[in-house]
Amino acid sequence: MIAASLALLGGLMLLSIPVAASLGLLGLALSELYAFLPLHRGIAQMAWNAGNDSVLLAVPMFILLGEVLLRSGMAERMYGAMVPWLSWLPGGLMHSNIGACTLFAATCGSSVATAATIGTVALDQAQRHGYNERLFLGTIAAGGTLGILIPPSINMIVYGALTNSSIPQLYLAGFLPGFLLAFLFMVTTWIACRIRPEWGGRRVETSWADRVRVLPDLLPPLLIFLLVVGAIYAGWATPSESAALGVLVAAGLAAWNRRLTPAAVRAAIEGTMKTTGMAMAILTASYFLNFVITSIGLTRLISDAVLGLQMSPLMTLMLVIVFYLVLGCFMETLSMMVATVPIIAPVVFALGYDPIWFGILVILLIETAMITPPVGINLFVVQGLRKRGSLNDVIIGASPFVVTLLVMIGLLVAFPDIAMILPKTLAQQ
């Protein structure tokens, strides 16, 4: 049953059938072959449950928040403010790319939106200042992955909904790994430019007066971050309510700057509807598939098969990591997450691993998939913005950061408190 399911899903994906349709068709096939009840009659209920989940309401809100920040020009001003503060480092504006991605990630919750937004405002700088274009592209693709690790994160919300985990706890657990990973990305860039100084381009001259002058442009994203995340931990709002608060504040700031034009509002809403429609279609199909595989006992079979191998918990975890790294080369990240977490998470939890810690590990593995060929989504986003040359340039530029992500995964496995120290500290208070 397990082999047949994987073969069918793989065949549907190879036929280029959309992910949501592939998951739904797999659920229907398994229902017809192995269920003794007509499980397909539950599709409508699954769709209702997916669309009526108050936790998942945060998804379109955070998508809209990112769209407003992009359309209002706040993201462009934020990037410009990062340049005087980070361009003195070896690698110059490439550090600004990562720093801007880090700050934008702390407001929008989406890796694709982070890569697209920073890429839009940064790509022209590579040739203008003589940077190694491949590495420059790689910093944008890799920096964009921080969007789902640094809170608030859309993928953490989905993981929390799939595993009944606390989203505030997941957000707390993502802080240190997120900022540590951003630091490691900058270290990777620094090392590359120390080895090959010509990759670092021409230094952008700046002064302390310039740094002080641009500080106000950093305040809007910081304000939104503090309000969104602070409202959750102060107990004033749920994640969905805090996301809506972020949208209101972003819209208010855009209106204050006279950038909330009808065209900007229309573009933001259209972008939100397209992205949300895709995400909810995948979630609805995955809810139905998970309902089917649980009903026919496939989840129990997988769990029993893994536990029956009598491997140590660490060896089993290594197999899970390798599984995600390989699968991430061939499957879109959100669909990979919603299709696998309900099956794999119970096995990992049974081995004694903390659900919150495992959630951060899954996010890191998904980040790696975003810049791993042949279907790494951030690679295509950056190449699409570039509109010339070969995708191979982006792949080569991002490859050092794949190694950095693997190092970060190793650190998290070796030192779980990187993720768990903040949730544990809060729980003790």
Side-chain angles (χ1 to χ4, degrees):
M1 188 189 301
I2 299 173
S5 302
L6 292 175
L8 180 56
L9 179 59
L12 292 171
M13 299 290 288
L14 288 173
L15 291 172
S16 299
I17 295 176
V19 173
S22 297
L23 295 174
L25 288 172
L26 177 59
L28 289 172
L30 292 176
S31 173
E32 291 297 321
L33 290 172
Y34 300 108
F36 63 92
L37 291 174
L39 298 180
H40 64 272
R41 294 183 181 178
I43 294 178
Q45 185 63 45
M46 297 300 106
W48 173 258
N49 290 341
N52 199 41
D53 191 333
S54 60
V55 173
L56 294 179
L57 179 61
V59 173
M61 288 291 102
F62 279 123
I63 293 172
L64 180 58
L65 174 56
E67 289 283 341
V68 171
L69 290 173
L70 173 62
R71 309 296 176 180
S72 64
M74 277 187 274
E76 183 176 357
R77 293 194 296 275
M78 177 191 68
Y79 180 83
M82 279 289 179
V83 172
W85 286 97
L86 296 176
S87 60
W88 61 273
L89 293 166
L93 294 181
M94 291 188 281
H95 293 287
S96 300
N97 293 344
I98 297 170
C101 285
T102 303
L103 190 54
F104 192 80
T107 59
C108 82
S110 166
S111 285
V112 172
T114 301
T117 301
I118 303 305
T120 299
V121 299
L123 278 177
D124 291 342
Q125 306 298 322
Q127 289 186 327
R128 185 180 304 171
H129 294 281
Y131 287 95
N132 178 274
E133 189 171 19
R134 287 176 170 176
L135 187 61
F136 195 92
L137 296 169
T139 59
I140 298 172
T145 66
L146 296 168
I148 62 172
L149 182 59
I150 297 176
S153 163
I154 292 174
N155 287 61
M156 286 185 189
I157 294 172
V158 175
Y159 175 88
L162 292 172
T163 62
N164 293 318
S165 299
S166 166
I167 293 173
Q169 291 272 313
L170 286 166
Y171 279 5
L172 273 178
F175 273 112
L176 286 183
F179 290 110
L180 176 58
L181 182 59
F183 173 73
L184 292 177
F185 281 160
M186 295 180 74
V187 169
T188 302
T189 304
W190 181 84
I191 292 173
C193 292
R194 293 291 292 182
I195 295 173
R196 300 291 296 270
E198 66 273 16
W199 289 0
R202 292 183 295 276
R203 184 172 179 175
V204 177
E205 297 297 331
T206 187
S207 65
W208 280 104
D210 293 330
R211 295 186 180 107
V212 173
R213 178 177 53 81
V214 298
L215 279 178
D217 291 332
L218 295 175
L219 293 180
L222 287 173
L223 174 63
I224 294 170
F225 170 73
L226 291 174
L227 284 175
V228 170
V229 177
I232 295 174
Y233 293 115
W236 299 339
T238 65
S240 299
E241 292 166 345
S242 66
L245 175 63
V247 172
L248 288 175
V249 173
L253 290 171
W256 176 268
N257 293 319
R258 297 182 180 180
R259 300 295 295 269
L260 196 68
T261 63
V265 172
R266 183 171 61 251
I269 292 175
E270 287 178 355
T272 301
M273 292 176 66
K274 290 177 181 178
T275 306
T276 302
M278 176 196 69
M280 292 310 296
I282 293 173
L283 284 170
T284 300
S286 69
Y287 271 38
F288 173 66
L289 176 59
N290 295 334
F291 170 66
V292 171
I293 63 177
T294 301
S295 300
I296 65 177
L298 184 57
T299 304
R300 187 183 66 256
L301 284 176
I302 295 174
S303 179
D304 292 344
V306 173
L307 296 176
L309 295 174
Q310 296 183 340
M311 294 187 300
S312 67
L314 181 59
M315 285 300 299
T316 305
L317 184 66
M318 291 299 105
L319 282 178
V320 170
I321 291 173
V322 171
F323 168 76
Y324 271 109
L325 290 175
V326 174
L327 188 63
C329 294
F330 305 101
M331 197 170 182
E332 190 274 329
T333 52
L334 178 61
S335 56
M336 178 176 73
M337 182 177 180
V338 298
T340 60
V341 165
I343 300 172
I344 292 177
V347 177
V348 176
F349 300 163
L351 295 172
Y353 290 103
D354 188 278
I356 301 299
W357 175 85
F358 183 64
I360 302 304
L361 178 62
V362 168
I363 295 298
L364 282 170
L365 290 166
I366 289 174
E367 284 189 276
T368 307
M370 287 182 164
I371 55 173
T372 305
V375 295
I377 189 169
N378 276 20
L379 303 176
F380 288 95
V381 168
V382 173
Q383 177 61 22
L385 293 171
R386 186 185 179 209
K387 297 178 181 177
R388 60 180 176 79
S390 170
L391 178 65
N392 289 334
D393 294 333
V394 190
I395 293 173
I396 294 171
S399 57
F401 302 100
V402 174
V403 177
T404 306
L405 275 161
L406 294 177
V407 170
M408 184 67 210
I409 290 168
L411 289 173
L412 186 66
V413 172
F415 306 101
D417 277 349
I418 293 175
M420 296 307 298
I421 188 169
L422 289 180
K424 288 179 179 177
T425 302
L426 186 65
Q428 292 171 357
Q429 293 178 352

